[in-house]
Amino acid sequence: MTRHPKSRSRAKRLRSLYLWHRYIGLSAALFVMVLSATGLALNHTESLGMDSTHVQSELLLDWYGIHAPDYLDSYAAGPVLFTEVNERVFRDTEILDEVSAPLIGAIAYQDLVIVANLDQLTLLDRDGELIETIGSAAGVPAGMKAIGVTTDGAIAIKAAHGYYLTDENLLEWSETDTLDATWSTPSDTPPELVHVLQEAYRGNGLPLERVVLDLHSGRLLGDAGVLLVDAAAILFMVLAISGVWLWSRRRASARAHKRKLEQHAP
């Protein structure tokens, strides 16, 4: 039985669409796997520890432009050095998450170490354990510029609006016109510590969560990666539309064939 030319043309177009649908599906398969895997991982960030795991790959760190500075200043508080590395604060080689940059000084006071930034004082014990962080609500002067110790052993603060003294419990603050104090000043960080801090900073500068998120969105490859993910999304839509259309055509064809068989049945 010879098929009608229109039927042959329709069948040819349908086969062609099947082939395109298959090629698009193969092309999109890699994107589907990457997006699915990264999406699942991001849904379980905390349980997988991605927010606390840091990338150690030199290649990825360089790709993200994470470089520690070559020159560093440190504040000495007794035998301990406090160093700011690109907005992160280190106690010797240990990161202090509870201390915010920028540092303005650090002093050893009685059994404490007091680290100062612009608007708060962080109190640590001699082992580096956090005791308390106090700010303006506790009377700490705003706009601190330096911290030191007077000849009488009192804590002195140089702030934006003058000089201040406090009692030994850091509870009462009083303004003064002048005072004689030894101020905490920055000094060159020893070269061996500079190298250790550079390695520590790079090793803690890139959370795994950010890499997975950038891979999921395509931003890992910059603007080109975002466009690539956009193109993949368009492929997914084309795949879905063509799949639904092919399914409907196949179903319609099956119904037509069934009716034809019923018409020719004895």
Side-chain angles (χ1 to χ4, degrees):
M1 180 178 176
T2 305
R3 299 178 65 180
H4 193 278
K6 286 186 177 180
S7 298
R8 288 198 301 270
S9 177
R10 191 181 302 114
K12 186 176 181 181
R13 288 197 301 270
L14 196 59
R15 283 196 300 271
S16 178
L17 186 56
Y18 270 118
L19 287 174
W20 277 108
H21 181 78
R22 183 182 302 170
Y23 294 147
I24 292 173
L26 291 173
S27 301
L30 178 61
F31 292 105
V32 171
M33 292 175 63
V34 171
L35 292 175
S36 299
T38 53
L40 284 171
L42 290 170
N43 278 341
H44 302 279
T45 294
E46 293 184 1
S47 59
L48 293 175
M50 292 196 304
D51 53 344
S52 57
T53 301
H54 293 84
V55 174
Q56 303 298 318
S57 167
E58 296 289 334
L59 182 63
L60 274 175
L61 290 170
D62 290 339
W63 181 263
Y64 275 85
I66 297 177
H67 305 288
D70 296 327
Y71 178 81
L72 298 171
D73 281 335
S74 295
Y75 291 92
V80 182
L81 293 178
F82 291 88
T83 311
E84 180 183 337
V85 187
N86 286 356
E87 300 185 357
R88 284 175 175 257
V89 177
F90 288 79
R91 177 187 179 274
D92 288 335
T93 59
E94 175 190 1
I95 291 179
L96 294 177
D97 292 324
E98 59 270 17
V99 180
S100 302
L103 289 181
I104 62 155
I107 61 170
Y109 180 74
Q110 298 180 1
D111 294 329
L112 302 175
V113 172
I114 303 175
V115 185
N117 62 17
L118 293 176
D119 56 8
Q120 67 181 20
L121 301 175
T122 302
L123 281 57
L124 308 171
D125 65 19
R126 292 304 177 100
D127 295 324
E129 294 296 324
L130 176 67
I131 297 175
E132 186 181 6
T133 298
I134 58 177
S136 57
V140 175
M144 289 188 290
K145 296 182 177 180
I147 185 171
V149 179
T150 68
T151 53
D152 297 331
I155 297 174
I157 294 292
K158 182 191 297 183
H161 303 291
Y163 297 92
Y164 294 82
L165 293 172
T166 185
D167 64 333
E168 62 180 11
N169 296 316
L170 286 81
L171 296 176
E172 299 292 335
W173 294 83
S174 59
E175 188 174 1
T176 181
D177 293 332
T178 59
L179 51 79
D180 184 13
T182 301
W183 300 104
S184 174
T185 56
S187 59
D188 292 345
T189 304
E192 62 275 12
L193 181 58
V194 170
H195 176 71
V196 173
L197 290 179
Q198 288 172 335
E199 293 298 319
Y201 173 78
R202 276 170 60 85
N204 290 276
L206 183 60
L208 179 59
E209 179 185 15
R210 179 180 172 186
V211 177
V212 176
L213 184 61
D214 288 347
L215 180 60
H216 184 76
S217 65
R219 289 185 175 83
L220 185 64
L221 301 178
D223 293 339
V226 175
L227 292 175
L228 194 62
V229 172
D230 289 345
I234 294 172
L235 281 180
F236 298 157
M237 289 188 289
V238 171
L239 196 63
I241 294 169
S242 62
V244 171
W245 191 86
L246 287 171
W247 172 80
S248 64
R249 295 301 302 169
R250 174 177 288 183
R251 189 173 181 184
S253 178
R255 286 178 177 175
H257 183 67
K258 184 178 179 180
R259 285 197 300 267
K260 187 178 293 185
L261 289 176
E262 289 175 349
Q263 289 174 359
H264 290 83

